[in-house]
Amino acid sequence: MVSRLLVYGSEEFGHVVKNLVLDCGYEFAGFIDDYATGESILGSYDSVIKTFSPGLFGIVIAIGYKSLVARWQVYQKVLADGYSTPSLIHPRAYVSRSSVVGQGAILMAGVVVDASEIGDLVVLWPGVIVNHDSVIGTNTFLSPNSTVCGFVRVGQSCFVGAGVVVADHRTVSDYTFLKAGSVYK
């Protein structure tokens, strides 16, 4: 298991992820950014992979919800190049032992996951609750204080806004955008 992580994306979300990397006990090795330069940015992905070996470094994807298709494509490229993409679970998140958390998932402080499945590359912001027997699809973002009730299926590449409540026994289709503060029933 690698202990040094590169963060792919250096904007606001990248800085949040950098802090989570440190909170989870990893060493932050620097940012990868294909479009920007600046402090702690090591360069573009194509230049960074020449120096930072997949055997020694892992990568966390910190491309935000406004670019879900690009985010998924970057994730696939990183995996194909042999990099590990560890899940980051904040020490103050609760994940029941019967839950499954996918590769590259990001679970922030105050998250509660009760007997559910969290897909690859999912992001759960602070205060998110995923109740029993639910499935959160790959590459989906659940914003702060959103609640997914029991027996819910949220599709892939969805965005669930802050404070959204998804009622029990519901299915949210792939690529759905749920506006902050709404109730999905």
Side-chain angles (χ1 to χ4, degrees):
M1 182 169 132
V2 297
S3 61
R4 296 181 286 182
L5 297 179
L6 299 159
V7 175
Y8 202 131
S10 68
E11 295 190 13
E12 291 119 351
F13 184 41
H15 288 274
V16 170
V17 171
K18 173 189 173 186
N19 289 330
L20 184 59
V21 163
L22 297 171
D23 287 344
C24 291
Y26 290 95
E27 177 186 334
F28 169 71
F31 291 112
I32 300 169
D33 199 306
D34 295 331
Y35 305 104
T37 58
E39 187 177 338
S40 299
I41 298 176
L42 303 171
S44 69
Y45 180 73
D46 291 335
S47 67
V48 168
I49 63 172
K50 294 174 185 172
T51 309
F52 294 84
S53 163
L56 300 175
F57 295 88
I59 296 179
V60 181
I61 310 300
I63 298 168
Y65 70 89
K66 293 179 182 176
S67 304
L68 288 172
V69 172
R71 176 181 166 75
W72 186 253
Q73 291 169 342
V74 163
Y75 175 66
Q76 295 301 309
K77 178 173 59 172
V78 164
L79 291 177
D81 287 337
Y83 287 94
S84 65
T85 56
S87 295
L88 297 179
I89 301 173
H90 192 280
R92 289 184 311 209
Y94 170 76
V95 179
S96 71
R97 64 180 84 170
S98 60
S99 292
V100 175
V101 176
Q103 180 172 246
I106 295 172
L107 284 64
M108 299 184 197
V111 163
V112 175
V113 177
D114 181 28
S116 292
E117 182 180 329
I118 307 300
D120 292 349
L121 208 60
V122 166
V123 177
L124 304 181
W125 283 86
V128 166
I129 297 174
V130 179
N131 282 294
H132 63 90
D133 303 292
S134 292
V135 176
I136 309 301
T138 59
N139 197 34
T140 287
F141 275 69
L142 273 64
S143 298
N145 297 317
S146 57
T147 300
V148 173
C149 295
F151 298 99
V152 168
R153 301 290 178 263
V154 177
Q156 70 179 12
S157 297
C158 292
F159 174 80
V160 177
V164 167
V165 175
V166 180
D168 63 332
H169 296 276
R170 300 295 180 256
T171 298
V172 178
S173 300
D174 294 349
Y175 306 101
T176 296
F177 184 98
L178 298 178
K179 185 178 172 185
S182 61
V183 176
Y184 188 86
K185 52 184 176 174

